[in-house]
Amino acid sequence: MSENPKRGHFAQEKGEIILREHEFDGIQEFDQKLPNWWLFTFYAAIAWFVGYWFLYYGIAALQSPQQVVQEQILAVQAAQLKELNKTLATLDDSKLVHEWAANPTAVAAGQTTFSKNCIPCHGVDLSATQDDGTGRKSVLPGLPLTDHQWKFTNKPMGLFNLINKGSPPESTGNNGAKMEAWGQKLTPVEIAQVLSYIISKVPEDFKDIPKPAAK
Ligand code: HEC
C-alpha cells in the first residue's frame, strides 16, 4: 500500500481506501464503499424477490412453468378422453365389421395410417415379416395380423382397445416386444380406420360378427 491506509473501520466516502483488519499470509482485503448502481441493483433484486415470492406462494397468482405444462397436459388428456368416448359411443363390433370395414374410404384412410405407423413392426403385407431383397424374409417385432390367430382377442372392439391402449399390462410381449398405446398418437377415428383396414384383409376372421340390427 502506498499511503498509510486506515484499518479496521468501514469506508465512509467514495475513494476512501480502507483495509479490513484481518490479514492472512500477507493477503489483505480492501473495504471499499460499494458503488450505488451496484447497491441499487442488489436492493432492487431483494424487493423483486419479495414481490415475486408473494405472488407465487403468498396468493398463488402466478403459475410455475411446470404448473402451466401440467395444466396443458391435463387439458389435452381431457380432450382426448372426450373424443374417445364420443367415438366409442358410436362403435360396436358389428358396426366396425359391417359399416367401417365395408366402407372403402375408411379402409383407404386406415391403410394410410397403417403405412405411416405400423409397417416397421407388422410389415407391408401385415405378415410381420419383411423381404430383405434377396427373397429371404426377416422377422419383424410385431405379430402377424393375417395368420388368423389373435393373441389377446378376436373381437373388433377388443382389438380397438388393444391398439388404443397398447399391450395389456399382463402381456410379456412378443419375444419381449410390447406394443405402445397408439391412442397417444392417433385419434379414435384413425384407430377405427386402421382397424377397418386390418379387418378388410382378413374378413373371414370376423364373419361370425352379426350385422347391425335394422333400425
Ligand atoms: C414398434 C413395433 C410395433 C408397431 C410400430 C406397431 N405394433 Fe402392433 N404389435 C407389436 C407387438 C410387439 C405386438 C404384440 C404385443 C404383445 O404380445 O404384447 C403387437 C400386436 C398388435 C396387434 C394384436 C395382434 C394379435 O395377433 O393379437 C394388433 C391388432 C396390432 N399390433 C396393431 C397395430 C397397429 C394398427 C399399428 C399401427 C398403428 C401397430 N400395431 C404398430 C408391435 C408393434
Side-chain angles (χ1 to χ4, degrees):
M1 281 302 127
S2 48
E3 302 104 66
N4 200 10
K6 293 182 222 154
R7 285 187 148 239
H9 47 98
F10 299 100
Q12 301 298 325
E13 4 175 312
K14 214 173 163 188
E16 193 181 354
I17 297 175
I18 301 276
L19 276 175
R20 302 297 307 277
E21 64 275 21
H22 49 244
E23 180 183 330
F24 299 105
D25 287 344
I27 298 172
Q28 294 175 299
E29 194 187 354
F30 277 134
D31 183 16
Q32 309 269 41
K33 190 170 177 343
L34 290 160
N36 283 338
W37 67 262
W38 193 95
L39 283 173
F40 177 76
T41 318
F42 180 59
Y43 295 135
I46 292 176
W48 175 262
F49 154 75
V50 172
Y52 224 59
W53 185 87
F54 181 70
L55 288 177
Y56 258 120
Y57 300 104
I59 58 173
L62 298 175
Q63 284 187 316
S64 67
Q66 195 187 7
Q67 282 172 318
V68 173
V69 168
Q70 240 156 19
E71 264 180 29
Q72 284 170 346
I73 291 175
L74 286 179
V76 168
Q77 282 174 342
Q80 274 180 333
L81 190 66
K82 214 171 126 204
E83 189 77 6
L84 179 65
N85 286 334
K86 214 172 88 192
T87 308
L88 284 182
T90 68
L91 278 187
D92 57 35
D93 285 348
S94 62
K95 285 194 179 134
L96 274 170
V97 173
H98 297 287
E99 289 174 10
W100 286 73
N103 177 338
T105 320
V107 170
Q111 182 168 13
T112 308
T113 304
F114 193 89
S115 308
K116 279 193 200 145
N117 301 285
C118 321
I119 282 179
C121 298
H122 292 287
V124 186
D125 59 357
L126 286 67
S127 67
T129 59
Q130 177 179 269
D131 204 321
D132 64 6
T134 64
R136 262 181 304 157
K137 299 253 176 189
S138 51
V139 176
L140 298 172
L143 285 170
L145 302 175
T146 47
D147 62 353
H148 311 295
Q149 290 181 18
W150 300 97
K151 182 173 173 182
F152 302 103
T153 167
N154 62 355
K155 290 276 178 288
M157 285 308 285
L159 290 169
F160 180 98
N161 262 328
L162 177 74
I163 299 169
N164 186 44
K165 294 203 182 134
S167 288
E170 68 275 10
S171 170
T172 50
N174 177 38
N175 297 322
K178 295 194 188 184
M179 190 165 74
E180 70 180 282
W182 287 98
Q184 299 292 327
K185 288 190 188 148
L186 304 176
T187 65
V189 168
E190 284 171 324
I191 294 177
Q193 288 167 340
V194 82
L195 179 56
S196 306
Y197 171 65
I198 296 173
I199 294 174
S200 76
K201 290 286 174 185
V202 277
E204 58 274 32
D205 285 9
F206 301 94
K207 64 179 183 331
D208 293 341
I209 305 287
K211 293 207 158 150
K215 278 163 220 148

